[in-house]
């Protein structure tokens, strides 16, 4: 089942040359995924009944033609490759003239809200989403991002209340914000980056301090987000 919504680009979502920012693109994709889940009975308003919630594990975004302020975007999404523990979701974004603007894929897991553990995707859940075989990337899975051996820039950040979502963790979009803060000024000014990948490893909670470390590695800009003692990896962000 392919689910479609329209989104108009507001002022807060634009950056250089009045073009949509990567964070705004990911926010649109996150929202349409939630709307799709609302429709089939596994959305935010169904959590008390179903006792399960979705968490995001990976993003991969490629911007092909960056739309500008005020455009009305047509966004498509669908589930694919659903198995007992994970599901993949793809996206397409089209502009006013039906030009393809961006493609993306993502990986999700279902969490039991009472046990706080991963929950199996039952046949009822899989059938509700009616997975498609269509895929936007040629590869079958998300590439694993390699961690550089050395970094050239480091920042420390304390998680505050505005960062926390309904799951009591740092909201997934804020990891991209953290990555941008860790970029050296000359690298930050090269925005927007048309290739974005985020892999989430360990949730970040309110009041925690995190260490964000930047490196230019294999022709990519990479930011690794660690716990304060740098022993555990929270997430890794790759930009190009």
């Amino acid at each position: 089942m392919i689910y479609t919504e329209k989104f108009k680009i507001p002022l807060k979502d634009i950056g250089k040359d009045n073009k949509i920012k990567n964070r705004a693109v990911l926010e649109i994709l996150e929202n349409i995924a939630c709307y799709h889940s609302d429709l089939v009975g596994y959305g935010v308003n169904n959590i008390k009944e179903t006792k399960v919630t979705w968490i995001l594990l990976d993003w991969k975004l490629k911007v092909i033609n960056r739309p500008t302020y005020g455009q009305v975007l047509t966004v498509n999404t669908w589930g694919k490759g659903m198995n007992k523990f994970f599901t993949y979701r793809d996206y397409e974004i089209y502009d006013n003239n039906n030009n393809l603007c961006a493609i993306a894929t993502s990986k999700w897991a279902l969490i039991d809200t009472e046990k706080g553990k991963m929950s199996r995707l039952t046949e009822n859940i899989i059938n509700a989403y009616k997975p498609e075989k269509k895929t936007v990337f040629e590869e079958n899975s998300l590439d694993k991002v390699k961690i550089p051996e050395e970094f050239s820039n480091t920042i420390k950040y304390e998680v505050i209340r505005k960062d926390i979502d309904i799951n009591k963790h740092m909201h997934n979009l804020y990891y991209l914000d953290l990555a941008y803060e860790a970029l050296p000024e000359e690298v930050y000014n090269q925005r927007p980056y048309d290739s974005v990948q985020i892999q989430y490893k360990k949730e970040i909670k309110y009041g925690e301090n995190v260490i964000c470390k930047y490196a230019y590695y294999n022709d990519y800009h990479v930011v690794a987000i660690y716990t304060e003692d740098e022993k555990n990896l929270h997430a890794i962000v790759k930009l190009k």
Side-chain angles (χ1 to χ4, degrees):
M1 172 186 178
I2 297 178
Y3 179 79
T4 302
E5 285 277 0
K6 292 188 181 295
F7 296 83
K8 188 173 183 178
I9 302 174
L11 182 65
K12 74 177 182 64
D13 287 345
I14 59 172
K16 286 183 176 181
D17 301 320
N18 296 342
K19 294 182 178 181
I20 193 169
K21 296 183 288 189
N22 286 332
R23 187 186 191 281
V25 175
L26 293 180
E27 185 172 4
I28 287 172
L29 301 184
E30 177 187 63
N31 283 332
I32 193 173
C34 290
Y35 299 156
H36 188 190
S37 289
D38 293 341
L39 179 67
V40 302
Y42 290 93
V44 173
N45 288 332
N46 307 112
I47 292 175
K48 288 185 178 180
E49 173 191 349
T50 62
K51 296 180 174 58
V52 292
T53 186
W54 292 103
I55 63 166
L56 182 64
L57 302 177
D58 294 86
W59 274 124
K60 184 175 183 179
L61 167 68
K62 181 180 179 181
V63 179
I64 300 164
N65 179 28
R66 195 172 293 272
T68 55
Y69 167 74
Q71 288 199 42
V72 177
L73 306 177
T74 300
V75 186
N76 301 325
T77 189
W78 59 94
K80 62 164 193 173
M82 303 182 82
N83 56 44
K84 291 181 179 179
F85 296 104
F86 304 107
T87 182
Y88 295 86
R89 173 178 289 279
D90 278 9
Y91 311 81
E92 297 170 328
I93 299 178
Y94 292 88
D95 65 13
N96 292 345
N97 298 314
N98 204 35
N99 296 313
L100 182 62
C101 293
I103 56 175
T105 191
S106 56
K107 183 180 180 181
W108 302 75
L110 196 63
I111 298 297
D112 185 313
T113 57
E114 294 183 334
K115 298 178 180 178
K117 296 182 179 180
M118 192 177 297
S119 180
R120 282 175 171 258
L121 273 66
T122 65
E123 287 297 321
N124 287 340
I125 295 173
I126 293 173
N127 290 336
Y129 282 91
K130 300 178 182 178
E132 299 280 339
K133 293 183 179 180
K134 181 179 178 180
T135 183
V136 296
F137 290 106
E138 292 183 2
E139 57 267 37
N140 294 323
S141 61
L142 291 159
D143 302 329
K144 185 177 180 180
V145 180
K146 293 183 179 180
I147 301 175
E149 295 181 0
E150 297 181 357
F151 295 91
S152 61
N153 198 50
T154 300
I155 67 163
K156 183 178 181 180
Y157 180 78
E158 181 180 355
V159 180
I160 59 178
R161 290 171 180 164
K162 75 173 182 64
D163 300 325
I164 304 302
D165 64 14
I166 62 170
N167 294 318
K168 299 181 180 180
H169 303 155
M170 174 179 276
H171 191 71
N172 73 82
L173 297 178
Y174 295 161
Y175 288 74
L176 182 60
D177 294 341
L178 278 181
Y180 280 153
E181 290 298 324
L183 300 178
E185 191 68 18
E186 67 275 11
V187 177
Y188 177 76
N189 289 334
Q190 293 174 21
R191 301 173 347 277
Y193 293 101
D194 290 334
S195 176
V196 178
Q197 187 169 354
I198 308 173
Q199 294 185 338
Y200 304 92
K201 304 294 185 180
K202 176 180 171 59
E203 71 275 9
I204 300 175
K205 298 180 180 179
Y206 170 65
E208 291 183 342
N209 291 311
V210 295
I211 304 298
C212 306
K213 308 182 77 172
Y214 163 81
Y216 185 67
Y217 180 73
N218 286 347
D219 295 327
Y220 285 90
H221 302 284
V222 178
V223 177
I225 304 172
Y226 289 95
T227 53
E228 187 173 14
D229 60 10
E230 300 186 24
K231 292 182 177 179
N232 294 293
L233 181 68
H234 283 298
I236 187 163
V237 181
K238 185 171 77 170
L239 306 167
K240 187 173 183 180

